[in-house]
Every structure is written in structure tokens, then in C-alpha cells.
Amino acid sequence: MAPPSKVNPAITPAAQRRTLVMRELSPAAFPEPDVDAPALMEQTREQRRHQVQELAGAVA
């Protein structure tokens, strides 16, 4: 005969509710990446390169 369970039976519904809430919040916390993200990253890099060149020219 197995020993009686020491687990609180109220934990299972609470864990299920927590899991449901986390799944609902997940898309807001981890949105799908933007399709144009690589283009935006490259645009940002170009702007930063330009700024660095301007600063280097001002210092020289």
C-alpha cells in the first residue's frame, strides 16, 4: 500500500491558474520579432557610424 500523499490538494488548481496567466502574459513580454527588424538594425548601425565619424572629425 502506498503512503498517503503529502501534497496539498489546493496546489494543483493554483498551479494551473498560474500557468494560464503566464501563458496569457507571455506574448506581451516576448512579442514576435518584427519582420523589418534587420533593416532597422542596419539603419541604426549606419546612423551610429555617421555619428562616430562626425565626432572623430570634430576631435581631429
Side-chain angles (χ1 to χ4, degrees), residues 24-55:
E24 290 173 357
L25 293 174
S26 182
F30 304 101
E32 290 295 320
D34 187 4
V35 176
D36 294 331
L40 294 173
M41 289 171 51
E42 187 57 35
Q43 180 182 6
T44 302
R45 285 188 189 116
E46 284 298 320
Q47 290 173 346
R48 290 182 181 164
R49 286 186 194 116
H50 184 71
Q51 290 171 346
V52 167
Q53 288 174 351
E54 286 180 351
L55 290 173

Side-chain angles (χ1 to χ4, degrees), residues 4-19:
S5 176
K6 296 180 182 180
V7 176
N8 183 341
I11 291 175
T12 300
Q16 290 172 340
R17 286 191 306 271
R18 182 188 64 192
T19 300

